[in-house]
């Protein structure tokens, strides 16, 4: 499943999931978002609060955005977890899947049988400048934000370098946004239900050349939760036919700043985390039925598909133009709508991706259900790909 | 003086509060002659100027930023 010595670790199953609608939700508090997603996940798992042995809570920056830290304790109170131990997990935009990874380690190690993992973020009540400042704290506050860089400015430089090394990919980048918006039309939890065109993207409000507003992910309020259990324990819990197994997990890091990266067109943390997850699951990219990946910007979707091993480096743009990543394509990407259209509630995003994979693997995705789903892969990045978690799920 | 070349760049048009008066401005990864890279604002940009990866830049020691060589 993961790690160097699989034999001493217990297999882990996801036995319940829950999420809120993603979006601009001015009337909803952190407590309210946690209550809905957390309660839904526990009900879905068929367990009571007193069965949960630990809570791992992903949250990026409610300290700044909402003047609310200590998110583990807040969620515990809301969900009635009593003296259950809690911890908040933070790794920028990868906070949610880092929480999942920590919960998985607790179960696999034998420390716990059943744990709750959650993620939450509330962002839309703040001004654009305040959100930009909050998000920028995931970069270097002196060497990057301090000289005038923003996150779009950093990823725009990845795009320009990619075009220098591999040729023009502007239309393929735009197509990532167009596809994700089209996919979100079928997802009731998505923030935006609006089709966009190539002209919309190319002529959108300019942010940092070549990125326009339509190349950037959304500012979102939302929460997502999952319940994990040791697979051997899960057999007696809830509805085992709906349980989904964690087949592989990888977690890798890289240097924080863009100037210190060896390459701007290959994200070393993605490559490393993906290799870990594929090795652990004994699967290869050809086995994967769908991918939920971290499209913080359109260029990230293109680079990530190459780094995960789905396309050779330098060929991703053509593959996207050929339609290989649409929901009807060879390897559907972000059928939920992704960060671009489902939304990017930072601390919850990694778990929102897991929610989509589990829903698709169970065959419960309604209108957006894919026909053949055996294994799903989630890819969640923090900062300038300085943290990466890759998770592979399957029914068996 | 430590000169360098542009490794990558962007023209920032939407900035954070403390930099928004300076838009549009260039942020670039500079590959210094020493081989190490650094992120810097590039002074001397005027709308419509052609910027290319590989262009040479020089250090403006007074402002501790790099500037375009026109």
């Amino acid at each position: 499943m993961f790690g160097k010595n699989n034999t001493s670790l217990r297999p882990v199953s996801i036995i319940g999931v829950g999420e809120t609608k993603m979006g601009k939700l001015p009337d909803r508090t952190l407590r309210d978002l946690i209550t809905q997603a957390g309660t839904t996940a526990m009900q879905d798992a068929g367990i009571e609060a007193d069965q949960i042995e630990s809570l791992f809570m992903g949250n990026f920056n409610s300290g700044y955005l909402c003047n609310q830290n200590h998110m583990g304790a807040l969620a515990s109170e809301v969900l009635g977890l009593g003296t259950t131990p809690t911890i908040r997990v933070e790794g920028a935009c990868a906070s949610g899947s880092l929480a999942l990874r920590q919960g998985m380690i607790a179960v696999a190690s034998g420390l716990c049988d059943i744990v709750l993992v959650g993620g939450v973020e509330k962002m839309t009540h703040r001004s654009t400048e305040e959100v930009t400042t909050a998000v920028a704290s995931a970069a270097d506050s002196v060497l990057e934000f301090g000289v005038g860089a923003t996150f779009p400015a950093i990823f725009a430089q990845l795009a320009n370098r990619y075009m220098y090394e591999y040729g023009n990919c502007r239309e393929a980048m735009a197509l990532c946004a167009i596809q994700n918006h089209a996919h979100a039309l079928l997802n009731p939890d998505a923030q935006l239900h609006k089709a966009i065109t190539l002209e919309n993207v190319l002529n959108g409000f300019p942010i940092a050349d070549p990125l326009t507003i339509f190349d950037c992910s959304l500012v979102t309020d939302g929460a997502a939760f999952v319940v994990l259990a040791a697979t051997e324990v899960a057999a007696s819990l809830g509805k085992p036919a709906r349980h989904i197994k964690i087949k592989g997990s990888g977690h890798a890091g890289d240097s924080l700043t863009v100037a210190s990266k060896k390459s701007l067109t290959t994200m070393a943390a993605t490559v490393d985390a993906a290799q870990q997850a594929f090795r652990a699951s004994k699967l290869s990219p050809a086995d994967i039925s769908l991918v939920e990946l971290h499209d913080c910007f359109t260029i990230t979707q293109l680079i990530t598909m190459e780094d995960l091993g789905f396309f050779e480096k330098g060929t991703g743009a053509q593959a996207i133009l050929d339609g290989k990543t649409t929901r009807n394509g060879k390897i559907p990407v972000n059928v939920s709508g992704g960060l671009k259209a489902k939304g990017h509630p930072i601390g919850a995003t990694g778990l929102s991706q897991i929610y989509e994979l589990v829903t698709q693997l169970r065959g419960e995705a309604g209108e957006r259900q894919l026909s053949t789903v055996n294994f799903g892969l989630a890819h969640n990045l923090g900062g300038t790909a300085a943290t990466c978690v890759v998770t592979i799920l399957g029914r068996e | 003086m430590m000169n360098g070349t542009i490794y990558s760049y962007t023209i920032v048009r939407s900035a954070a509060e403390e930099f928004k008066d300076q838009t549009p401005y260039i942020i670039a990864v500079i590959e210094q002659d020493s081989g190490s890279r650094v992120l810097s604002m590039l002074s001397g940009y005027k709308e419509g100027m052609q910027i290319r990866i590989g262009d040479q830049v020089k250090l403006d020691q007074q402002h501790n930023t790099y500037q375009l060589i026109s």
Side-chain angles (χ1 to χ4, degrees):
Chain A
M1 182 175 56
F2 71 107
K4 287 183 174 167
N5 180 6
N6 277 327
T7 56
S8 62
L9 296 169
R10 300 193 297 175
V12 179
S13 294
I14 297 175
I15 66 168
V17 295
E19 72 175 14
T20 63
K21 175 171 169 52
M22 305 300 166
K24 188 171 186 175
L25 310 170
D27 301 332
R28 306 197 62 180
T29 62
L30 285 166
R31 281 177 176 263
D32 182 29
L33 295 168
I34 291 166
T35 301
Q36 186 194 345
T39 305
T40 305
M42 287 192 285
Q43 286 172 350
D44 186 48
I47 60 159
E48 301 296 329
D50 62 5
Q51 292 174 271
I52 291 167
E53 295 160 57
S54 197
L55 167 66
F56 297 84
M57 197 62 206
N59 176 250
F60 167 53
N61 207 352
S62 286
Y64 176 89
L65 291 166
C66 306
N67 194 31
Q68 180 65 63
N69 280 318
H70 214 172
M71 198 58 72
L74 179 73
S76 173
E77 177 174 321
V78 169
L79 298 170
L81 301 187
T83 57
T84 299
T86 73
I87 189 168
R88 170 199 167 187
V89 181
E90 192 273 313
C93 307
S95 299
S97 57
L98 281 177
L100 176 77
R101 170 101 179 165
Q102 300 314 303
M104 187 187 73
I105 290 169
V107 173
S109 69
L111 189 69
C112 302
D113 282 338
I114 303 172
V115 303
L116 183 63
V117 180
V120 69
E121 209 75 51
K122 187 159 172 61
M123 308 171 71
T124 66
H125 60 300
R126 294 296 214 130
S127 70
T128 302
E129 287 78 12
E130 288 167 336
V131 171
T132 302
T133 302
V135 173
S137 69
D140 190 301
S141 63
V142 176
L143 299 179
E144 296 186 310
F145 195 53
V147 302
T150 58
F151 260 105
I154 290 171
F155 281 83
Q157 292 180 84
L158 270 52
N160 279 331
R161 185 72 199 182
Y162 188 96
M163 293 197 220
Y164 176 80
E165 292 183 17
Y166 300 108
N168 196 325
C169 62
R170 184 67 188 100
E171 197 170 327
M173 287 166 56
L175 206 50
C176 291
I178 294 164
Q179 285 176 190
N180 292 349
H181 273 257
H183 290 166
L185 293 172
L186 302 175
N187 187 351
D189 288 343
Q191 181 165 355
L192 294 183
H193 295 113
K194 183 173 181 282
I196 59 170
T197 65
L198 183 61
E199 288 67 36
N200 289 148
V201 181
L202 299 182
N203 302 324
F205 184 79
I207 303 294
D209 297 0
L211 307 182
T212 72
I213 190 74
F214 288 102
D215 290 286
C216 304
S217 52
L218 304 176
V219 175
T220 306
D221 306 324
F225 276 72
V226 309
V227 181
L228 301 179
T231 302
E232 63 195 29
V233 175
S236 61
L237 296 169
K239 295 176 181 160
R242 295 173 73 246
H243 294 172
I244 299 300
K245 294 192 173 69
I246 298 180
K247 305 298 292 182
S249 167
H251 172 197
D254 194 10
S255 56
L256 180 66
T257 63
V258 67
S260 64
K261 305 277 177 198
K262 280 194 183 130
S263 168
L264 298 195
T265 56
T266 294
M267 298 296 106
T270 295
V271 173
D272 191 329
Q275 284 174 351
Q276 291 174 42
F278 279 121
R279 189 169 56 236
S281 62
K282 299 185 174 65
L283 297 169
S284 73
D287 298 311
I288 302 299
S289 313
L290 80 159
V291 176
E292 284 288 309
L293 66 76
H294 196 87
D295 58 315
C296 50
F297 300 95
T298 51
I299 184 64
T300 325
Q301 183 156 330
L302 164 55
I303 288 176
T304 299
M305 281 306 282
E306 297 175 342
D307 288 344
L308 291 172
F310 290 98
F311 306 127
E312 298 259 329
K313 187 52 69 179
T315 68
Q318 190 58 50
I320 291 163
L321 292 173
D322 290 343
K324 290 184 179 167
T325 60
T326 66
R327 53 175 289 114
N328 301 314
K330 188 163 177 257
I331 176 66
V333 175
N334 289 345
V335 294
S336 69
L339 283 59
K340 179 71 197 78
K342 182 184 182 185
H344 187 16
I346 298 179
T349 294
L351 295 167
S352 166
Q353 295 175 324
I354 297 296
Y355 179 94
E356 180 66 17
L357 294 186
V358 167
T359 305
Q360 290 281 351
L361 283 159
R362 286 172 169 177
E364 297 175 354
E367 251 195 307
R368 69 182 188 287
Q369 181 65 47
L370 297 171
S371 55
T372 308
V373 184
N374 297 315
F375 301 103
L377 182 148
H379 161 270
N380 192 199
L381 281 182
T384 310
T387 298
C388 182
V389 178
V390 172
T391 312
I392 298 175
L393 305 182
R395 280 177 300 184
E396 295 303 326
Chain B
M1 183 179 290
M2 185 105 86
N3 292 334
T5 58
I6 296 177
Y7 187 78
S8 195
Y9 72 97
T10 184
I11 303 165
V12 177
R13 301 186 183 278
S14 178
E17 190 70 30
E18 57 261 56
F19 290 96
K20 71 177 184 186
D21 294 342
Q22 298 180 56
T23 56
Y25 59 86
I26 294 188
I27 291 286
V29 174
I30 304 303
E31 192 153 71
Q32 296 169 311
D33 290 348
S34 63
S36 62
R37 293 184 206 143
V38 62
L39 190 72
S40 175
M41 191 183 284
L42 273 190
S43 57
Y45 175 72
K46 291 186 184 65
E47 198 71 304
M49 278 174 81
Q50 283 288 319
I51 311 294
R52 287 190 184 85
I53 289 174
D55 282 356
Q56 290 200 319
V57 294
K58 63 181 178 181
L59 185 64
D60 173 355
Q61 283 170 321
Q62 191 186 344
H63 300 101
N64 201 30
T65 60
Y66 281 85
Q67 62 184 112
L68 296 160
I69 302 171
S70 49

